[in-house]
Amino acid sequence: MTLADMHCAAGGQATALDDQTIELQLKTLAGWARVGNEIRKTYPFKNYYETMAFVNASAWVSHEQDHHPDMSVHYNRCVVAYSTHDAGGITLNDFICAAKLEKLIHP
């Protein structure tokens, strides 16, 4: 089973991952990087319409998983950052949602 096929643990049940596990998981997600206590990626697009289509699709993923990223939306790019605040760091939930976003772009 891949990360994109998994479902996030319910609120409060996810635990922060250790540094080694985080680095191993990052290797499975192209373009994602650790920045402090979050994982982050900038998605480039041709125009605002494509950017907003991605934002709306990622909102659906967030709703389905009940796990929401911080997003910075620009004309032709979107910066997505995941962290599990109630766990105090990066959890498997963050990687699951990142993988689901990757599947939106590269089905």
Side-chain angles (χ1 to χ4, degrees):
M1 177 179 289
T2 68
L3 282 170
D5 297 323
M6 298 173 74
H7 191 79
C8 288
Q13 295 181 3
T15 57
L17 301 174
D18 60 63
D19 291 339
Q20 182 179 10
T21 303
I22 291 168
E23 292 307 314
L24 286 172
Q25 291 294 345
L26 280 172
K27 290 179 182 179
T28 69
L29 296 169
W32 287 84
R34 182 179 189 174
V35 180
N37 265 351
E38 63 187 25
I39 58 171
R40 185 183 303 173
K41 180 174 181 173
T42 299
Y43 286 93
F45 298 100
K46 292 179 187 174
N47 54 48
Y48 191 70
Y49 176 80
E50 287 186 9
T51 303
M52 292 311 296
F54 171 78
V55 169
N56 287 326
S58 63
W60 182 84
V61 169
S62 298
H63 176 72
E64 287 292 309
Q65 296 301 310
D66 194 24
H67 192 63
H68 307 87
D70 289 329
M71 300 178 92
S72 178
V73 180
H74 306 271
Y75 173 79
N76 62 352
R77 70 188 185 287
C78 181
V79 182
V80 180
Y82 279 106
S83 181
T84 306
H85 304 289
D86 59 357
I90 301 167
T91 68
L92 189 58
N93 285 355
D94 302 312
F95 287 103
I96 290 169
C97 285
K100 289 180 181 295
L101 294 190
E102 288 299 304
K103 198 170 180 180
L104 290 174
I105 301 296
H106 308 287

